Amino acid sequence: MAFLELSGLIKRFGTVAAVDGLDLAVERGEFVSLLGPSGCGKTTTLHMIAGFVEPNAGRIAVDGRDMAAVPPNRRNIGIVFQSYALFPHMTVAENVGFGLEMRAVAEAERRARIADALDLVRLGELSQRFPRQLSGGQQQRVALARALVIRPDLLLLDEPLSNLDAKLREEMRVEIRLIQRQVGITTILVTHDQAEALVMSDRIAVMERGRIVQIGRPVDAYENPANAFVSTFLGRANLIRAEVVGRQGRRLRVSAGSVEFEAEGEAPDGPVTVSIRPERIGFVEIGGIEARVKVGLFMGEHWLYRLDSPLGELTLCQPNTGALPIADGQAVRVAWSADNARVLHG
Amino acid sequence: MAERSPTSHSLTPYGLSAPAFIVCAVFLAAPLIMVLALSFNTFTMATGIQPGFRLDNYIEVLTDDYFHLIFARTFGMALLIALIAALIGTPEAYILHRMAPAWRSAFLLVILGPLLVSVLVRTLGWAVLLGRNGIVNSALVALGLADRPVEFMYTMTGVIVALVHVLVPFHVLAVWASLRRLDPAVEAAGLSLGASQFTVLRRIVVPQIMPGILSGSLIVFTLAASAFATPSIIGGRRLKVVAVTAYDEFLNSQNWPLGAAIVTVLLVATVVIVLAYNRAVERRYAQVFQ
Ligand SMILES: Nc1ncnc2c1ncn2[C@@H]1O[C@H](COP(=O)(O)OP(=O)(O)OP(=O)(O)O)[C@@H](O)[C@H]1O
Ligand SMILES: [Mg+2]
């Protein structure tokens, strides 16, 4: 039995279902991300786990114990809010110590644990500051220390990095992941940043309209998206409407417009959607299909080309090797291997 | 942007605030200065008001035990009213804050109700309610809570009840404004760390809205200290407060200079209290004020 089990969770606000039949099982020590667009019910799910929001239906169990009758202050769950929610009238040390005080931890042990927690997030020397005297990144680490110091059974992170600048965000991703490994705590991260989910998680649960549409290891979810929504939400994808015209096992022959090509997957005859990642398409001298460069966008470590092709607009991603980029308007030929053209369900 | 000349730019704020400035100067500053000037004149029954610059009136107000008693009564009463209004208004504001929006607007109207009624009507209403044979006393006697009518009229209790009633809304509004700035996640964070609902209120909510509670109390205190209609109708002449005393000097004794001096002392004392209080509060709550 999994450590955290959500089954059939439903939460309605008025007539709209914010969470609409959500099932999720998280193993002890696992790091799972809930990834999805704004308004898909991520925060609501987290708040139901923490006990701030009561579900209309469904079951939440932690370590086999039903949480329905357990009030939020008895759940022993550490939560880092999107707004950090630090206590502005308390110092960093008082913020971190609050949970210990509530657990009646003795003064001496409390001080030691506060110091340990602040060392863990590398904030030892700021313990006497007030939250407003800290930068966004420092506040976020205080919030993390405050949640970890109570040694919670479960750590919930609600878009904890969304207010940070790009550089700090990348550092904190790694830092949180390392702390989580070190402490070995079961963690759920809510985010709508796919890069964050890919880097940090053991498994990613992609949500759409209050449900989980796919859950799996980051590599699996990226390589084998369950549907068009997942393929465009996790990374970029060229989606091509096509028709299955022949098959040999999992290798399908599809036709789109005037072009026929091979793709990987399972689907009945008829219309399908084929997904091709931009980095899996390459320029070729001969063969492939004809296309014309509409615009080349410089992204630093790579170039992103928008192409006009018989399949419609294609996006192509090329590593920046220092070679001269291809000029706008130039006629080119592009190709991909059949393995990298995925036939999607629905 | 570029064509805007620096002179016109720097004059604009003055031009825009000129009408308000003139209104303030004519209707606030001028009467105040005239009252101040008047307070240095002298008065005798025989001669009436004599122009001049003498401190006689101030010396009288500051040394006479009669006036000491009146000032002590006024500020003591204002302090008590501010305290009671805080004890009633703070929970009231929190309950309002936690209500569903539809209910909240209805109850806000109920809370602000006293302010919508003319002060005279409201006070006479209280006089009817609190009178010897008023509804409150009839109810108290009928319920057996009192064996004979309780004296409310012409007592401090009556004045305090009536003033608290009208001043509580000011406290509620001040506290509610600071509650609205509160991040709801902060309360949730307190709960998740193991605090009970009551501990969250005491340790997390109240300290953060303390500036609102304190400034609400200050508003109530100053309004109570300068209240006139309620103390004069319900308190009567036996329980004079400063404003009533000044009124009597002006209109009954015709001693305008003494009345002006009383008013000036009240104003200065109130301003000093307000400033001292503000400084103390700001120093104490510097970290919450941001
Ligand atoms: N208290 C509430 N009252 C009414 N509707 C709500 C409430 N909280 C959330 N909702 C609605 O429920 C849906 C899901 O909200 P939720 O906050 O869980 O989204 P989210 O996935 O966290 O989005 P975001 O990425 O923008 O934070 C939204 O449509 C939202 O409008
Ligand atoms: Mg959210």
Side-chain angles (χ1 to χ4, degrees):
Chain A
M1 168 131 76
F3 182 67
L4 170 71
E5 279 195 68
L6 310 179
S7 38
L9 271 194
I10 294 178
K11 178 64 195 179
R12 290 185 212 91
F13 292 109
T15 52
V16 282
V19 173
D20 194 8
L22 183 135
D23 298 298
L24 178 67
V26 180
E27 297 300 331
R28 193 184 287 274
E30 201 180 13
F31 193 122
V32 171
S33 292
L34 293 181
L35 175 70
S38 192
C40 71
K42 307 182 295 290
T43 298
T44 307
T45 305
L46 220 55
H47 283 190
M48 283 194 284
I49 299 172
F52 306 136
V53 171
E54 209 169 314
N56 293 111
R59 199 178 111 96
I60 301 170
V62 176
D63 210 4
R65 178 160 166 242
D66 191 331
M67 287 282 124
V70 184
N73 52 354
R74 300 239 175 282
R75 292 197 183 189
N76 199 31
I77 287 176
I79 176 162
V80 173
F81 293 85
Q82 188 167 351
S83 58
Y84 312 144
L86 296 179
F87 309 132
H89 57 294
M90 297 186 193
T91 62
V92 167
E94 286 166 349
N95 263 280
V96 175
F98 186 81
L100 299 176
E101 213 180 310
M102 292 304 118
R103 284 163 175 71
V105 173
E107 174 85 35
E109 188 194 341
R110 194 157 79 211
R111 235 182 277 131
R113 276 169 71 175
I114 292 171
D116 285 349
L118 287 177
D119 282 346
L120 191 67
V121 296
R122 296 193 272 124
L123 277 181
E125 66 284 11
L126 299 182
S127 65
Q128 290 315 310
R129 297 253 191 108
F130 284 96
R132 69 182 172 89
Q133 299 168 319
L134 302 178
S135 74
Q138 289 167 338
Q139 291 184 29
Q140 193 254 321
R141 282 183 280 165
V142 176
L144 191 60
R146 187 178 66 176
L148 283 171
V149 77
I150 58 172
R151 296 181 188 151
D153 299 327
L154 195 60
L155 181 63
L156 307 178
L157 308 170
D158 192 355
E159 306 196 25
L161 307 181
S162 57
N163 293 341
L164 307 185
D165 66 60
K167 175 136 178 57
L168 189 58
R169 193 180 317 161
E170 256 175 55
E171 283 174 21
M172 289 305 302
R173 275 176 197 159
V174 180
E175 205 161 312
I176 289 181
R177 183 61 172 144
L178 289 177
I179 290 172
Q180 188 266 339
R181 285 253 176 87
Q182 193 177 335
V183 182
I185 186 171
T186 314
T187 303
I188 297 183
L189 169 81
V190 156
T191 180
H192 52 224
D193 180 340
Q194 47 116 353
E196 197 165 297
L198 290 171
V199 170
M200 297 176 74
S201 330
D202 293 317
R203 284 190 300 156
I204 295 180
V206 182
M207 285 183 70
E208 185 186 18
R209 275 184 256 115
R211 290 161 191 263
I212 292 177
V213 288
Q214 182 169 14
I215 180 159
R217 289 165 50 221
V219 178
D220 294 339
Y222 187 85
E223 292 300 333
N224 298 306
N227 61 24
F229 172 78
V230 176
S231 79
T232 50
F233 205 79
L234 260 187
R236 294 194 190 86
N238 292 295
L239 295 181
I240 300 160
R241 300 294 301 167
E243 188 97 22
V244 177
V245 291
R247 65 180 66 236
Q248 196 172 36
R250 281 179 55 85
R251 186 61 53 90
L252 304 181
R253 184 136 198 99
V254 297
S255 126
S258 56
V259 183
E260 268 192 22
F261 58 95
E262 294 199 322
E264 179 91 7
E266 278 164 30
D269 284 357
V272 290
T273 302
V274 179
S275 160
I276 310 173
R277 299 282 184 197
E279 72 273 16
R280 306 287 167 81
I281 307 179
F283 293 113
V284 290
E285 295 295 327
I286 44 169
I289 63 168
E290 284 178 4
R292 183 171 297 277
V293 174
K294 254 185 11 191
V295 62
L297 303 169
F298 182 54
M299 311 289 278
E301 76 265 28
H302 62 263
W303 283 88
L304 206 64
Y305 293 102
R306 292 260 158 91
L307 312 174
D308 268 331
S309 81
L311 297 174
E313 189 180 281
L314 287 182
T315 305
L316 182 157
C317 181
Q318 282 270 297
N320 175 13
T321 56
L324 227 50
I326 295 169
D328 295 358
Q330 181 145 353
V332 291
R333 302 190 74 83
V334 296
W336 54 86
S337 82
D339 296 346
N340 288 321
R342 300 277 171 167
V343 174
L344 302 175
H345 315 284
Chain B
M1 293 273 179
E3 65 267 28
R4 194 191 285 162
S5 78
T7 35
S8 79
H9 186 102
S10 59
L11 284 178
T12 313
Y14 298 103
L16 287 174
S17 53
F21 177 78
I22 291 167
V23 168
C24 274
V26 170
F27 295 108
L28 186 68
L32 272 180
I33 290 166
M34 284 161 73
V35 166
L36 189 65
L38 188 62
S39 69
F40 294 112
N41 296 349
T42 51
F43 173 88
T44 58
M45 277 301 184
T47 57
I49 298 170
Q50 294 294 316
F53 186 88
R54 300 180 59 94
L55 293 173
D56 295 8
N57 297 316
Y58 287 100
I59 291 167
E60 188 179 347
V61 172
L62 295 175
T63 54
D64 192 332
D65 280 348
Y66 172 71
F67 289 113
H68 289 174
L69 179 69
I70 288 176
F71 271 93
R73 176 189 293 141
T74 306
F75 285 121
M77 181 194 78
L79 196 67
L80 200 59
I81 288 172
L83 204 68
I84 297 171
L87 290 177
I88 298 175
T90 307
E92 201 170 306
Y94 186 74
I95 293 167
L96 195 69
H97 173 69
R98 295 288 296 256
M99 274 181 178
W103 284 105
R104 190 188 301 154
S105 20
F107 275 81
L108 195 60
L109 200 68
V110 172
I111 287 169
L112 296 184
L115 298 180
L116 304 177
V117 181
S118 145
V119 57
L120 215 57
V121 172
R122 186 177 58 230
T123 309
L124 291 172
W126 273 112
V128 170
L129 279 178
L130 296 178
R132 199 147 229 296
N133 304 313
I135 297 170
V136 172
N137 267 323
S138 313
L140 284 178
V141 173
L143 291 172
L145 293 171
D147 41 9
R148 62 197 145 76
V150 182
E151 290 297 343
F152 287 114
M153 285 307 286
Y154 314 116
T155 65
M156 200 56 131
T157 317
V159 177
I160 288 173
V161 167
L163 275 180
V164 164
H165 170 242
V166 65
L167 295 180
V168 155
F170 292 99
H171 189 88
V172 171
L173 287 181
V175 174
W176 193 42
S178 60
L179 276 169
R180 285 167 52 122
R181 283 199 301 271
L182 211 66
D183 178 0
V186 171
E187 282 179 70
L191 285 180
S192 77
L193 290 169
S196 67
Q197 188 71 55
F198 179 72
T199 306
V200 166
L201 266 179
R202 191 171 59 83
R203 295 280 310 273
I204 293 167
V205 176
V206 170
Q208 284 188 74
I209 58 169
M210 214 38 164
I213 295 176
L214 294 175
S215 63
S217 306
L218 189 62
I219 297 169
V220 172
F221 176 83
T222 48
L223 289 175
S226 59
F228 170 72
T230 306
S232 82
I233 295 176
I234 297 187
R237 289 297 174 276
R238 276 201 291 146
L239 281 173
K240 269 191 182 180
V241 294
V242 177
V244 176
T245 312
Y247 174 89
D248 284 346
E249 291 302 334
F250 271 98
L251 294 186
N252 293 346
S253 320
Q254 302 290 323
N255 191 345
W256 287 27
L258 183 60
I262 294 171
V263 176
T264 308
V265 172
L266 176 64
L267 182 67
V268 170
T270 310
V271 167
V272 167
I273 290 171
V274 167
L275 291 180
Y277 185 87
N278 257 343
R279 287 199 55 166
V281 167
E282 263 166 34
R283 199 166 302 162
R284 173 72 182 76
Y285 290 94
Q287 74 271 25
V288 183
F289 269 123
Q290 318 268 339

